[in-house]
Amino acid sequence: MEKMYFGAAYYREYLPYERLEQDLQLMQEAGFNYVRIAESTWSTYEKDDGVFDFSSVLAVLDALPRRGMGAIVGLPTYAVPAWLVRKYPEIMATTPNGKNRYGGRHLMDITHPAYLYYAERIVTKLLEAVSAHPAVIGYQIDNETKSYDTASPNVQIAFVKWLKRKFKGDLQALNAAYGLDYWSNRIDSWEDFPDICGTINGSLACAFREYQRVITADFVEHFAAIVRRCRRPGQFITHNLDFDWRERSYGMQEQSDQLRESRVFDICGSDIYYFSQDRLKAHDISFCGDYIRGLRDERFLVLETNAQGFANWTPYPGQLRLQALMLFASGARSVGYWNWHSIHNSYESYWKGILSHDLDPNEIYREIASIGRDLPKLEPVLSGYHQQNQVCIVVSNEALSAVDYFPLTGSAPALGQVQCHQYNDVLRCYSNALCDANIGTDIKNINDDAIFSYPILVVPLLYAVSTERLQRLNEYVRQGGCIVYSFKSAFADENIKIRPELQPAVIREVTGCSYQLFSEPNHVRLHAEGLDLSGADCSVNTFMELLRAEPGTEVLASYEHQYYRQYAAITYRQTGRGAAAYIGAGVSGEVIAAVVQYTARKAGLKLKEPLAQPLTVKSGLNDKGQQVRFILNFSSAKQRFAYPYADCRDVLSGREIKSGEEVELPDWGGLVTVTDPA
């Protein structure tokens, strides 16, 4: 049986007075079985160069076994001590915004030899102190690792060497691929390579972003290798992968190659934060869960999520339980809160934990404890739980970076000045649409060949991609696969160079549509033709392509506008044994879902769930072959419905539910059912 984990980050070093036993007693009563420790307090463990003291960590570890708890030990490498910066000020990264100053976290150059030497040393010493301890169940590599925008001189030298390898030393090939003749940006000697921070060339800027993802993955792999040499059998390696931040976990992380990094871990971990109160929706957890689960097609750890958080996050009664069930429904094997106690000073004083500043049990603690009491019921049912989704959303780091430098709206930013990833806005629009329609999805990277095992691919904003990959997608369609593309797909190659041909380039072979003109829409709506859009929001937003359908291509919608009515907006074409739909504009989630469902129906697939919003439905099979289904009420009103599935058992209450029986869910309530194989 797969073990599930329930706990919180615990910082004994931050507490205003000693209360370890009191805290662990409360955790035990709440059903916690682990704590996450050590990742942020390097200066406590090494107060001066070579002076080590891990007594704070060992005190926690020693107290855990008698409570039936374990610990995930974090490597304390993401926030450096002051004495190290005094000795080696050059380890502070130089970014496009200048030289970092000491004080915050994530400010160092993760490639600098002095930083790496001392980071390796503290990690090795920590492992020597704790790896044999029976309370240690696993290790977390660093914390939300990224390049932190480092563009230090040594990084730029290494970047040029990386480009030399990429282009086999051929500067003319580099100039041609990146179009460096523009504004006299040609480079005809490797020694003349300019400071990357000043580039106005989007191709070169995106190449540097790719290289920053490379050094991030190299860092993670390096420290995972150190842990692997020192750990005790049975201890796992994980890392808390994070997301683009938009007041909460929002979209794909541009600064790390998480597909590559995921191969390093024994189990993927993540930090998933979301709105509460009236802004709580299924969207955020659904997207993040689908993405992390899709990296390795397996369940994952949630190492950080919000208990109270900010004042506008303080959850309504029932929301914490609902959020936990949604995390489990999305594939989480753990719920780990950040953090156990609210901090009494410094930067995160008002990012509140489970306990408030008085450190006494409260309503948040009591609701979390109710989740802990249910965990023994959920654990056997969710063992081996896996979804069997027919739809895969395809994402791309390269497209994300490219859209940053060639945004849909607004002007191109300077290197390091991107404020808002417009790629993620489109990605989330598509993900949210399928979540609202209760269409189960996985999310996978364009470079993962596992995408070709799905009957339907949904591909938002694939702006930059190699011709080879596009041809592979075309062949996937000819062999029976279905693709739903968004606007601005296939526009540029892998070097962010716009293809000099009729758009959408290469995939036009299967989409059967083309365009030469595009525009920002102004009071434009869709006119439904082959698509039922009754009741849908038919407004057009953000971007629109003036499509012309080729013979044999269906027009599902055109533009309702005096000057654009002759153009198609959404098309569908069958090619070989498969089909491709093309959505040539920014449209509502209802329209996106309608196109995906239309494509599925044409392919003989059933995607439509019998239950609709505000009820979110997630389902899968466990290792016994039982159907596990989560029905979650993301609303402040009770929901009554006739149970539309086969007879089942309510996992949490134990009662039997007959097909067609009326079920009532309270506000922010959830139901978990299990059905034996037929």
Side-chain angles (χ1 to χ4, degrees), residues 351-512:
W351 190 319
K352 295 178 69 179
I354 296 170
L355 303 185
S356 293
H357 292 106
D358 59 9
L359 301 177
D360 286 333
N362 55 34
E363 293 89 340
I364 302 299
Y365 168 82
R366 285 185 279 274
E367 187 166 323
I368 285 173
S370 75
I371 302 166
R373 287 192 294 273
D374 284 337
L375 203 63
K377 302 173 187 175
L378 290 165
E379 188 174 55
V381 171
L382 293 180
S383 182
Y385 171 76
H386 60 282
Q387 298 185 27
Q388 296 181 305
N389 295 318
Q390 300 182 86
V391 178
C392 179
I393 298 176
V394 179
V395 297
S396 165
N397 284 105
E398 293 74 23
L400 195 165
S401 294
V403 173
D404 280 348
Y405 291 100
F406 298 99
L408 301 172
T409 59
S411 56
L415 185 70
Q417 300 297 315
V418 175
Q419 298 298 316
C420 182
H421 298 298
Q422 294 182 16
Y423 174 93
N424 279 334
D425 292 329
V426 177
L427 170 59
R428 282 299 303 268
C429 184
Y430 277 70
S431 173
N432 293 355
L434 300 184
C435 177
D436 282 342
N438 282 326
I439 296 173
T441 60
D442 296 331
I443 299 177
K444 289 188 172 294
N445 193 283
I446 183 66
N447 297 315
D448 188 343
D449 283 346
I451 63 176
F452 299 113
S453 65
Y454 291 83
I456 298 179
L457 301 180
V458 175
V459 189
L461 206 53
L462 188 62
Y463 176 79
V465 61
S466 70
T467 297
E468 179 185 28
R469 205 59 173 169
L470 292 175
Q471 289 171 339
R472 180 79 186 274
L473 290 167
N474 286 350
E475 185 60 24
Y476 160 84
V477 170
R478 294 188 186 100
Q479 295 300 318
C482 297
I483 301 181
V484 177
Y485 284 108
S486 85
F487 60 91
K488 214 72 187 265
S489 290
F491 207 80
D493 67 14
E494 70 273 26
N495 294 315
I496 328 302
K497 192 171 186 177
I498 295 171
R499 291 186 164 89
E501 57 189 280
L502 201 60
Q503 296 287 353
V506 186
I507 62 171
R508 191 174 69 256
E509 298 173 19
V510 296
T511 63

Side-chain angles (χ1 to χ4, degrees), residues 245 247-249 272-276 279-281 284-285 288 302 304-307 312-313 319-320 323-324 327 335 337:
W245 186 257
E247 297 184 86
R248 80 282 193 199
S249 303
I272 302 178
Y273 290 98
Y274 31 76
F275 291 135
S276 295
R279 293 196 289 176
L280 174 60
K281 296 184 181 297
D284 294 330
I285 300 175
C288 295
V302 176
E304 291 185 21
T305 194
N306 38 300
N312 63 337
W313 280 6
Q319 288 188 336
L320 282 167
Q323 291 160 343
L327 288 168
V335 173
Y337 294 99

Side-chain angles (χ1 to χ4, degrees), residues 117-138:
Y117 171 81
Y118 285 96
E120 290 165 8
R121 189 175 73 173
I122 186 66
V123 166
T124 302
K125 292 293 185 181
L126 175 63
L127 290 167
E128 289 173 357
V130 307
S131 61
H133 202 291
V136 178
I137 60 174

Side-chain angles (χ1 to χ4, degrees), residues 130-151:
V130 307
S131 61
H133 202 291
V136 178
I137 60 174
Y139 300 94
Q140 175 187 300
I141 305 298
D142 200 64
N143 182 285
E144 299 180 351
T145 308
K146 295 176 280 293
S147 68
Y148 316 132
D149 286 325
T150 182

Side-chain angles (χ1 to χ4, degrees), residues 332-354:
R333 274 182 64 187
S334 74
V335 173
Y337 294 99
W338 198 94
N339 62 353
W340 170 249
H341 54 88
S342 297
I343 297 170
H344 294 78
N345 53 275
S346 203
Y347 191 73
E348 293 174 320
S349 293
Y350 287 95
W351 190 319
K352 295 178 69 179
I354 296 170

Side-chain angles (χ1 to χ4, degrees), residues 27 567 652:
M27 292 180 193
Y567 297 108
L652 299 181

